[in-house]
Amino acid sequence: MGKTTKQLAKLSEGESLEDFVGPLGTPADIRKLGTVILVGGGVGVAPIYPQAKAYTKAGNRVISIIGARNKDLLILEDEMGKASTELYIATDDGSKGHHGFVTDIMKRILDSGEKVSRVVIIGPPIMMKVGAGVAFPYDVEILVSLNSIMVDGTGMCGGCRVTVDGKTKFTCVDGPEFDARKVDFVELMNRLAMYRGEETKAVEKYEEECRCGLH
Ligand code: FES
């Protein structure tokens, strides 16, 4: 049975999961490109971190921009600093770094005239959508890593399907990285919201069970 994020967060060192599937999909295309901007929002900083290390190892100038709602929710700051050539921070409430969005900093760098070969954006779908829109007019490749709902993770159930360049793709097999200019973000966000009612009920049930001492 799957676990909610709250359940996962409660696990202690030494506890285990029933099962774990991955890695899924195709490997990230990481090679020497020149200057790469990596943008991570919220828990999206976690998958951006290994990319920062890998792009740096491949010989790129890596400009990382990480953000969260506030400084307490910011993760991997030290690690990202070590893995990147430059690190910028943004928080929605201004408690650390730039008061605003990661995409504000990305735009500033793109506007500076520095030649940037690729932008990789990983975070909440709305952040990736907005980020892709901001970077759209610039002469730069834009990649996003999609987090659609997954069930089997092997390309059979169709749960993770997304529309890219007018074609159906399975995130678990064809992704997770796609050309942001071609992704139908509206459909992605609608599909992610499909089970919101059930998800809310599952969390409420779990919290009730916690109150009753069942967890
Ligand atoms: S999760 Fe089922 S097809 Fe991708």
Side-chain angles (χ1 to χ4, degrees):
M1 190 173 72
K3 287 196 182 301
T4 66
T5 311
K6 286 192 174 206
Q7 286 172 292
L8 284 173
K10 280 188 81 171
L11 291 177
S12 305
E13 190 174 344
E15 289 190 83
S16 59
L17 297 170
E18 294 86 349
D19 47 54
F20 183 88
V21 181
L24 304 176
T26 56
D29 162 41
I30 293 178
R31 54 199 153 84
K32 185 163 183 181
L33 296 164
T35 297
V36 178
I37 297 179
L38 303 180
V39 184
V43 293
V45 178
I48 276 283
Y49 173 49
Q51 295 219 1
K53 287 197 288 187
Y55 275 111
T56 296
K57 194 172 171 197
N60 294 285
R61 174 171 148 71
V62 175
I63 304 174
S64 296
I65 310 165
I66 60 173
R69 288 206 303 276
N70 59 57
K71 68 176 173 31
D72 296 329
L73 294 174
L74 198 63
I75 60 170
L76 296 170
E77 181 186 343
D78 292 346
E79 291 86 346
M80 284 299 295
K82 286 189 193 119
S84 314
T85 316
E86 287 175 29
L87 175 67
Y88 296 90
I89 291 169
T91 49
D92 294 3
D93 67 353
S95 52
K96 182 139 202 179
H98 169 69
H99 185 176
F101 301 120
V102 282
T103 46
D104 302 337
I105 302 172
M106 179 186 76
K107 183 172 188 320
R108 203 166 68 212
I109 297 167
L110 292 171
D111 277 338
S112 74
E114 171 161 1
K115 173 69 190 140
V116 177
S117 302
R118 176 182 287 177
V119 173
V120 183
I121 309 171
I122 309 182
I126 186 65
M127 187 203 102
M128 294 193 283
K129 179 179 188 292
V130 170
V134 170
F136 192 92
Y138 299 87
D139 179 22
V140 63
E141 183 183 17
I142 318 164
L143 297 180
V144 284
S145 183
L146 301 186
N147 55 348
S148 49
I149 289 171
M150 295 202 189
V151 182
D152 67 320
T154 57
M156 289 192 288
C157 73
C160 68
R161 69 181 178 274
V162 289
T163 302
V164 182
D165 202 17
K167 300 184 188 74
T168 296
K169 297 282 180 189
F170 290 166
T171 305
C172 71
V173 180
D174 306 311
E177 288 195 347
F178 294 102
D179 179 344
R181 286 191 171 84
K182 298 177 179 169
V183 171
D184 184 338
F185 284 103
V186 173
E187 181 196 61
L188 171 72
M189 289 189 285
N190 284 338
R191 284 185 60 76
L192 281 169
M194 270 170 60
Y195 301 107
R196 195 143 290 159
E198 287 83 353
E199 288 165 2
T200 303
K201 276 188 204 144
V203 170
E204 286 169 357
K205 180 169 176 279
Y206 174 68
E207 287 174 341
E208 177 62 26
E209 288 171 357
C210 285
R211 278 193 290 276
C212 295
L214 295 173
H215 295 286

PDB file of all heavy atoms in Angstrom, residues 24 148-161 170-173, ligand 1:
ATOM      1  N   LEU A  24      13.056   5.307 -12.701  1.00  0.00           N
ATOM      2  CA  LEU A  24      12.176   5.113 -13.842  1.00  0.00           C
ATOM      3  C   LEU A  24      12.557   6.057 -14.974  1.00  0.00           C
ATOM      4  O   LEU A  24      13.189   7.082 -14.755  1.00  0.00           O
ATOM      5  CB  LEU A  24      10.724   5.405 -13.441  1.00  0.00           C
ATOM      6  CG  LEU A  24      10.149   4.616 -12.261  1.00  0.00           C
ATOM      7  CD1 LEU A  24       8.738   5.098 -11.944  1.00  0.00           C
ATOM      8  CD2 LEU A  24      10.141   3.131 -12.558  1.00  0.00           C
ATOM      9  N   SER A 148       3.966  13.662 -12.841  1.00  0.00           N
ATOM     10  CA  SER A 148       2.557  13.272 -12.985  1.00  0.00           C
ATOM     11  C   SER A 148       2.256  12.066 -12.080  1.00  0.00           C
ATOM     12  O   SER A 148       3.154  11.398 -11.595  1.00  0.00           O
ATOM     13  CB  SER A 148       2.264  12.941 -14.451  1.00  0.00           C
ATOM     14  OG  SER A 148       3.242  12.065 -14.953  1.00  0.00           O
ATOM     15  N   ILE A 149       0.956  11.816 -11.877  1.00  0.00           N
ATOM     16  CA  ILE A 149       0.536  10.699 -11.017  1.00  0.00           C
ATOM     17  C   ILE A 149       1.034   9.386 -11.621  1.00  0.00           C
ATOM     18  O   ILE A 149       0.858   9.131 -12.810  1.00  0.00           O
ATOM     19  CB  ILE A 149      -1.004  10.679 -10.908  1.00  0.00           C
ATOM     20  CG1 ILE A 149      -1.464  11.859 -10.062  1.00  0.00           C
ATOM     21  CG2 ILE A 149      -1.488   9.355 -10.309  1.00  0.00           C
ATOM     22  CD1 ILE A 149      -2.962  12.051 -10.067  1.00  0.00           C
ATOM     23  N   MET A 150       1.678   8.575 -10.813  1.00  0.00           N
ATOM     24  CA  MET A 150       2.157   7.278 -11.322  1.00  0.00           C
ATOM     25  C   MET A 150       1.510   6.137 -10.555  1.00  0.00           C
ATOM     26  O   MET A 150       1.301   6.221  -9.351  1.00  0.00           O
ATOM     27  CB  MET A 150       3.671   7.196 -11.204  1.00  0.00           C
ATOM     28  CG  MET A 150       4.348   8.211 -12.089  1.00  0.00           C
ATOM     29  SD  MET A 150       6.018   7.791 -12.496  1.00  0.00           S
ATOM     30  CE  MET A 150       6.503   9.330 -13.287  1.00  0.00           C
ATOM     31  N   VAL A 151       1.220   5.074 -11.267  1.00  0.00           N
ATOM     32  CA  VAL A 151       0.626   3.895 -10.633  1.00  0.00           C
ATOM     33  C   VAL A 151       1.589   2.717 -10.766  1.00  0.00           C
ATOM     34  O   VAL A 151       2.213   2.293  -9.805  1.00  0.00           O
ATOM     35  CB  VAL A 151      -0.752   3.566 -11.253  1.00  0.00           C
ATOM     36  CG1 VAL A 151      -1.375   2.368 -10.545  1.00  0.00           C
ATOM     37  CG2 VAL A 151      -1.680   4.773 -11.147  1.00  0.00           C
ATOM     38  N   ASP A 152       1.757   2.187 -11.975  1.00  0.00           N
ATOM     39  CA  ASP A 152       2.625   1.008 -12.118  1.00  0.00           C
ATOM     40  C   ASP A 152       4.080   1.394 -12.422  1.00  0.00           C
ATOM     41  O   ASP A 152       4.990   0.633 -12.103  1.00  0.00           O
ATOM     42  CB  ASP A 152       2.090   0.077 -13.206  1.00  0.00           C
ATOM     43  CG  ASP A 152       2.188   0.699 -14.589  1.00  0.00           C
ATOM     44  OD1 ASP A 152       1.914   1.913 -14.707  1.00  0.00           O
ATOM     45  OD2 ASP A 152       2.544  -0.009 -15.538  1.00  0.00           O
ATOM     46  N   GLY A 153       4.276   2.552 -13.030  1.00  0.00           N
ATOM     47  CA  GLY A 153       5.647   2.993 -13.329  1.00  0.00           C
ATOM     48  C   GLY A 153       6.327   2.211 -14.431  1.00  0.00           C
ATOM     49  O   GLY A 153       7.550   2.286 -14.592  1.00  0.00           O
ATOM     50  N   THR A 154       5.571   1.453 -15.189  1.00  0.00           N
ATOM     51  CA  THR A 154       6.205   0.643 -16.241  1.00  0.00           C
ATOM     52  C   THR A 154       5.599   0.879 -17.625  1.00  0.00           C
ATOM     53  O   THR A 154       5.828   0.115 -18.550  1.00  0.00           O
ATOM     54  CB  THR A 154       6.080  -0.860 -15.911  1.00  0.00           C
ATOM     55  OG1 THR A 154       4.682  -1.174 -15.766  1.00  0.00           O
ATOM     56  CG2 THR A 154       6.802  -1.218 -14.634  1.00  0.00           C
ATOM     57  N   GLY A 155       4.797   1.930 -17.762  1.00  0.00           N
ATOM     58  CA  GLY A 155       4.250   2.252 -19.074  1.00  0.00           C
ATOM     59  C   GLY A 155       2.988   1.494 -19.438  1.00  0.00           C
ATOM     60  O   GLY A 155       2.577   1.499 -20.595  1.00  0.00           O
ATOM     61  N   MET A 156       2.343   0.835 -18.477  1.00  0.00           N
ATOM     62  CA  MET A 156       1.162   0.031 -18.823  1.00  0.00           C
ATOM     63  C   MET A 156      -0.167   0.680 -18.430  1.00  0.00           C
ATOM     64  O   MET A 156      -1.161   0.512 -19.108  1.00  0.00           O
ATOM     65  CB  MET A 156       1.255  -1.346 -18.162  1.00  0.00           C
ATOM     66  CG  MET A 156       2.312  -2.205 -18.801  1.00  0.00           C
ATOM     67  SD  MET A 156       2.222  -3.923 -18.296  1.00  0.00           S
ATOM     68  CE  MET A 156       2.806  -3.818 -16.626  1.00  0.00           C
ATOM     69  N   CYS A 157      -0.195   1.421 -17.307  1.00  0.00           N
ATOM     70  CA  CYS A 157      -1.501   1.894 -16.810  1.00  0.00           C
ATOM     71  C   CYS A 157      -1.961   3.191 -17.467  1.00  0.00           C
ATOM     72  O   CYS A 157      -3.143   3.471 -17.527  1.00  0.00           O
ATOM     73  CB  CYS A 157      -1.449   2.075 -15.298  1.00  0.00           C
ATOM     74  SG  CYS A 157      -0.509   3.518 -14.764  1.00  0.00           S
ATOM     75  N   GLY A 158      -1.040   3.998 -17.949  1.00  0.00           N
ATOM     76  CA  GLY A 158      -1.404   5.267 -18.581  1.00  0.00           C
ATOM     77  C   GLY A 158      -1.684   6.385 -17.594  1.00  0.00           C
ATOM     78  O   GLY A 158      -2.027   7.498 -17.995  1.00  0.00           O
ATOM     79  N   GLY A 159      -1.571   6.096 -16.302  1.00  0.00           N
ATOM     80  CA  GLY A 159      -1.870   7.108 -15.288  1.00  0.00           C
ATOM     81  C   GLY A 159      -0.991   8.344 -15.392  1.00  0.00           C
ATOM     82  O   GLY A 159      -1.423   9.451 -15.078  1.00  0.00           O
ATOM     83  N   CYS A 160       0.226   8.170 -15.842  1.00  0.00           N
ATOM     84  CA  CYS A 160       1.192   9.286 -15.839  1.00  0.00           C
ATOM     85  C   CYS A 160       1.224  10.032 -17.162  1.00  0.00           C
ATOM     86  O   CYS A 160       2.126  10.836 -17.391  1.00  0.00           O
ATOM     87  CB  CYS A 160       2.583   8.749 -15.532  1.00  0.00           C
ATOM     88  SG  CYS A 160       3.228   7.721 -16.878  1.00  0.00           S
ATOM     89  N   ARG A 161       0.225   9.786 -18.017  1.00  0.00           N
ATOM     90  CA  ARG A 161       0.342  10.349 -19.367  1.00  0.00           C
ATOM     91  C   ARG A 161       0.285  11.874 -19.373  1.00  0.00           C
ATOM     92  O   ARG A 161      -0.441  12.488 -18.589  1.00  0.00           O
ATOM     93  CB  ARG A 161      -0.702   9.755 -20.299  1.00  0.00           C
ATOM     94  CG  ARG A 161      -2.125  10.144 -20.035  1.00  0.00           C
ATOM     95  CD  ARG A 161      -3.041   9.458 -21.043  1.00  0.00           C
ATOM     96  NE  ARG A 161      -4.423   9.780 -20.789  1.00  0.00           N
ATOM     97  CZ  ARG A 161      -5.199   9.128 -19.930  1.00  0.00           C
ATOM     98  NH1 ARG A 161      -4.687   8.131 -19.224  1.00  0.00           N
ATOM     99  NH2 ARG A 161      -6.454   9.482 -19.756  1.00  0.00           N
ATOM    100  N   PHE A 170       4.316   8.960 -21.816  1.00  0.00           N
ATOM    101  CA  PHE A 170       4.252   8.431 -20.459  1.00  0.00           C
ATOM    102  C   PHE A 170       5.473   8.931 -19.687  1.00  0.00           C
ATOM    103  O   PHE A 170       6.611   8.625 -20.054  1.00  0.00           O
ATOM    104  CB  PHE A 170       4.222   6.900 -20.468  1.00  0.00           C
ATOM    105  CG  PHE A 170       2.936   6.321 -20.997  1.00  0.00           C
ATOM    106  CD1 PHE A 170       2.855   4.986 -21.345  1.00  0.00           C
ATOM    107  CD2 PHE A 170       1.799   7.105 -21.127  1.00  0.00           C
ATOM    108  CE1 PHE A 170       1.670   4.451 -21.826  1.00  0.00           C
ATOM    109  CE2 PHE A 170       0.615   6.580 -21.610  1.00  0.00           C
ATOM    110  CZ  PHE A 170       0.549   5.237 -21.966  1.00  0.00           C
ATOM    111  N   THR A 171       5.209   9.676 -18.626  1.00  0.00           N
ATOM    112  CA  THR A 171       6.318  10.248 -17.853  1.00  0.00           C
ATOM    113  C   THR A 171       7.243   9.159 -17.314  1.00  0.00           C
ATOM    114  O   THR A 171       8.454   9.326 -17.275  1.00  0.00           O
ATOM    115  CB  THR A 171       5.773  11.088 -16.680  1.00  0.00           C
ATOM    116  OG1 THR A 171       4.877  12.057 -17.210  1.00  0.00           O
ATOM    117  CG2 THR A 171       6.881  11.800 -15.945  1.00  0.00           C
ATOM    118  N   CYS A 172       6.648   8.018 -16.911  1.00  0.00           N
ATOM    119  CA  CYS A 172       7.461   6.978 -16.269  1.00  0.00           C
ATOM    120  C   CYS A 172       8.393   6.275 -17.238  1.00  0.00           C
ATOM    121  O   CYS A 172       9.375   5.651 -16.816  1.00  0.00           O
ATOM    122  CB  CYS A 172       6.564   5.966 -15.568  1.00  0.00           C
ATOM    123  SG  CYS A 172       5.639   4.883 -16.675  1.00  0.00           S
ATOM    124  N   VAL A 173       8.099   6.346 -18.519  1.00  0.00           N
ATOM    125  CA  VAL A 173       8.936   5.657 -19.507  1.00  0.00           C
ATOM    126  C   VAL A 173       9.668   6.673 -20.402  1.00  0.00           C
ATOM    127  O   VAL A 173      10.870   6.566 -20.617  1.00  0.00           O
ATOM    128  CB  VAL A 173       8.075   4.731 -20.405  1.00  0.00           C
ATOM    129  CG1 VAL A 173       8.951   4.012 -21.418  1.00  0.00           C
ATOM    130  CG2 VAL A 173       7.309   3.735 -19.564  1.00  0.00           C
TER     131      VAL A 173
HETATM  132  S1  FES B   1       2.732   5.101 -14.230  1.00  0.00           S
HETATM  133 FE1  FES B   1       1.541   3.772 -15.424  1.00  0.00          FE
HETATM  134  S2  FES B   1       2.074   4.243 -17.455  1.00  0.00           S
HETATM  135 FE2  FES B   1       3.359   5.492 -16.253  1.00  0.00          FE
END
